Amino acid sequence: VMSDYHLRCELRGHDEDVRGVLACDIGIATSSRDKTAKIWSEESASSYSPTTTLVGHTDYVGPIVYVPPGLVEALPAGVLVTGSRDSSLKVWDTASGRCIASCGGHAYQVTSAALLPDGGVVSASLDKTLKVWRLADGTCVDTLEGHEGPVLSVAVSPDGDIVSGSGDTTVRVWRGGKCAATLRGHTDTVRALAVLPGLGFVSGSHDLTLRVWDMQGNTIAELLGHTAIIFAVATLPGQNLIASG
């Protein structure tokens, strides 16, 4: 019921528009066109303040990934990973704001990133590739090639399958470093992806539709109703609920 929701507080501190928002165990993380990311902590029921500003990217920052403590042995306290139009990803100590590692290898903007079950991160780029990174030292351990257009979205299933969406209108499923399936159905850029645990995943497109797929690449449903490009999609764990915008 809409009346149950109200504005609790506003977070102000970035100098330009905000490109990403992530709620996680350490608070709220945001990224911006001002080339920084910020970590915000709750001060009161109606106030958050920026406790750490992450400075180091040379162009605007978009994707944010949180790696929780204990997932990577070499990074026991956990880290935040950011991707940028400067073509790099950076790994940050969340307490000090220090850059632990810089992941360089993409030729163009990093558009999306997602956490892998083993604590690595996979990134998508306008250079038509995805890359898998070891965060402790910023090493690229695999490059996934096959898309014929910029890769704009990436998601990871609970068992580690990588799903990517591209300007070539396809969705690809990657397993063991190889393309296991190329899914066709959208007629324009695939902009957004989200996993539906136990079922498959959902894709959102510039063609104004969403598609629900199983992990074998079969279309379960096509969702109609939007009258403009779909930029974002999210799912609620434990429920077959999809939100799109």
Side-chain angles (χ1 to χ4, degrees):
V1 180
M2 290 301 296
S3 60
D4 292 339
Y5 292 86
H6 62 276
L7 178 64
R8 179 175 168 186
C9 62
E10 295 183 2
L11 283 61
R12 296 183 178 273
H14 283 295
D15 295 327
E16 296 190 47
D17 59 288
V18 175
R19 306 291 296 185
V21 178
L22 175 69
C24 55
D25 294 344
I26 57 174
I28 296 174
T30 58
S31 62
S32 171
R33 197 180 288 270
D34 68 10
K35 306 177 187 178
T36 73
K38 290 181 182 290
I39 301 170
W40 307 74
S41 296
E42 185 178 20
E43 289 188 327
S44 68
S46 60
S47 176
Y48 277 75
S49 63
T51 54
T52 309
T53 299
L54 310 178
V55 179
H57 282 294
T58 58
D59 209 326
Y60 77 68
V61 186
I64 316 170
V65 176
Y66 175 62
V67 183
L71 187 58
V72 180
E73 184 176 356
L75 303 169
V79 293
L80 206 66
V81 181
T82 55
S84 170
R85 196 168 71 170
D86 66 13
S87 78
S88 77
L89 295 96
K90 291 187 181 295
V91 184
W92 306 90
D93 178 274
T94 58
S96 67
R98 180 175 62 91
C99 180
I100 297 171
S102 187
C103 307
H106 280 299
Y108 299 111
Q109 176 182 342
V110 177
T111 55
S112 184
L115 180 65
L116 293 162
D118 64 1
V121 162
V122 57
S123 59
S125 171
L126 294 185
D127 66 10
K128 306 180 185 179
T129 73
L130 299 106
K131 289 182 179 290
V132 178
W133 304 92
R134 185 172 63 224
L135 299 182
D137 58 6
T139 299
C140 177
V141 297
D142 203 0
T143 298
L144 309 180
E145 297 179 296
H147 278 296
E148 297 176 0
V151 188
L152 297 175
S153 51
V154 64
V156 176
S157 72
D159 61 1
D161 284 351
I162 296 169
V163 183
S164 58
S166 170
D168 65 13
T169 76
T170 70
V171 175
R172 287 180 180 249
V173 179
W174 307 83
R175 189 173 298 127
K178 305 293 183 182
C179 181
T182 300
L183 315 184
R184 305 182 189 278
H186 285 296
T187 58
D188 206 335
T189 296
V190 180
R191 171 68 69 164
L193 290 166
V195 170
L196 283 165
L199 182 62
F201 59 93
V202 57
S203 57
S205 171
H206 287 203
D207 67 11
L208 318 186
T209 73
L210 297 111
R211 284 179 176 264
V212 180
W213 313 78
D214 64 23
M215 292 308 297
Q216 288 69 49
N218 302 304
T219 299
I220 299 171
E222 183 181 31
L223 309 180
L224 307 176
H226 282 290
T227 58
I229 291 170
I230 299 169
F231 285 99
V233 62
T235 59
L236 185 64
Q239 300 184 41
N240 291 330
L241 180 64
I242 299 167
S244 58

